[in-house]
Short mmCIF file of all heavy atoms in Angstrom, two decimals:
data_model
loop_
_atom_site.label_atom_id
_atom_site.label_comp_id
_atom_site.label_asym_id
_atom_site.label_seq_id
_atom_site.Cartn_x
_atom_site.Cartn_y
_atom_site.Cartn_z
N PHE C 199 -11.76 10.66 -0.51
CA PHE C 199 -11.75 12.13 -0.52
C PHE C 199 -12.98 12.71 -1.22
O PHE C 199 -13.34 13.86 -0.98
CB PHE C 199 -10.43 12.65 -1.10
CG PHE C 199 -9.30 12.51 -0.11
CD1 PHE C 199 -8.52 11.36 -0.08
CD2 PHE C 199 -9.09 13.49 0.85
CE1 PHE C 199 -7.52 11.21 0.88
CE2 PHE C 199 -8.09 13.36 1.80
CZ PHE C 199 -7.29 12.21 1.81
N ASN C 200 -13.64 11.92 -2.07
CA ASN C 200 -14.86 12.39 -2.73
C ASN C 200 -16.14 11.91 -2.05
O ASN C 200 -17.23 12.20 -2.52
CB ASN C 200 -14.90 11.93 -4.20
CG ASN C 200 -13.72 12.49 -5.00
OD1 ASN C 200 -13.21 13.56 -4.68
ND2 ASN C 200 -13.29 11.76 -6.02
N ALA C 201 -15.99 11.13 -0.99
CA ALA C 201 -17.18 10.54 -0.36
C ALA C 201 -18.04 11.59 0.34
O ALA C 201 -17.51 12.56 0.89
CB ALA C 201 -16.75 9.48 0.65
N ASP C 202 -19.34 11.40 0.32
CA ASP C 202 -20.24 12.29 1.07
C ASP C 202 -20.02 12.06 2.56
O ASP C 202 -20.05 12.98 3.36
CB ASP C 202 -21.71 11.97 0.72
CG ASP C 202 -22.03 12.37 -0.71
OD1 ASP C 202 -21.34 13.28 -1.22
OD2 ASP C 202 -22.93 11.76 -1.31
N ASP C 203 -19.82 10.80 2.92
CA ASP C 203 -19.61 10.45 4.32
C ASP C 203 -18.42 9.48 4.40
O ASP C 203 -18.59 8.26 4.32
CB ASP C 203 -20.88 9.81 4.88
CG ASP C 203 -20.79 9.60 6.39
OD1 ASP C 203 -19.67 9.65 6.94
OD2 ASP C 203 -21.85 9.37 7.02
N ALA C 204 -17.23 10.05 4.54
CA ALA C 204 -16.00 9.25 4.53
C ALA C 204 -15.94 8.30 5.72
O ALA C 204 -15.44 7.18 5.61
CB ALA C 204 -14.79 10.18 4.52
N LYS C 205 -16.47 8.77 6.85
CA LYS C 205 -16.46 7.96 8.07
C LYS C 205 -17.29 6.69 7.86
O LYS C 205 -16.89 5.59 8.24
CB LYS C 205 -17.08 8.79 9.20
CG LYS C 205 -16.44 8.59 10.52
CD LYS C 205 -17.00 9.61 11.51
CE LYS C 205 -16.41 9.34 12.88
NZ LYS C 205 -16.65 10.44 13.78
N ALA C 206 -18.43 6.86 7.21
CA ALA C 206 -19.31 5.72 6.95
C ALA C 206 -18.66 4.74 5.98
O ALA C 206 -18.80 3.52 6.13
CB ALA C 206 -20.65 6.21 6.39
N LEU C 207 -17.93 5.28 5.00
CA LEU C 207 -17.25 4.41 4.03
C LEU C 207 -16.20 3.55 4.73
O LEU C 207 -16.11 2.34 4.52
CB LEU C 207 -16.59 5.26 2.92
CG LEU C 207 -15.76 4.50 1.90
CD1 LEU C 207 -16.61 3.48 1.13
CD2 LEU C 207 -15.07 5.45 0.93
N VAL C 208 -15.41 4.18 5.61
CA VAL C 208 -14.39 3.43 6.36
C VAL C 208 -15.06 2.38 7.24
O VAL C 208 -14.63 1.22 7.27
CB VAL C 208 -13.49 4.39 7.18
CG1 VAL C 208 -12.59 3.61 8.13
CG2 VAL C 208 -12.66 5.28 6.25
N ALA C 209 -16.14 2.78 7.91
CA ALA C 209 -16.84 1.84 8.80
C ALA C 209 -17.38 0.65 8.00
O ALA C 209 -17.32 -0.50 8.47
CB ALA C 209 -17.98 2.56 9.52
N GLU C 210 -17.86 0.93 6.81
CA GLU C 210 -18.40 -0.13 5.96
C GLU C 210 -17.30 -1.12 5.55
O GLU C 210 -17.49 -2.33 5.60
CB GLU C 210 -19.00 0.53 4.72
CG GLU C 210 -19.95 -0.33 3.92
CD GLU C 210 -20.49 0.45 2.72
OE1 GLU C 210 -20.72 1.68 2.85
OE2 GLU C 210 -20.66 -0.17 1.66
#
Side-chain angles (χ1 to χ4, degrees):
F199 285 90
N200 298 332
D202 291 334
D203 188 344
K205 217 172 176 167
L207 175 62
V208 171
E210 197 179 324

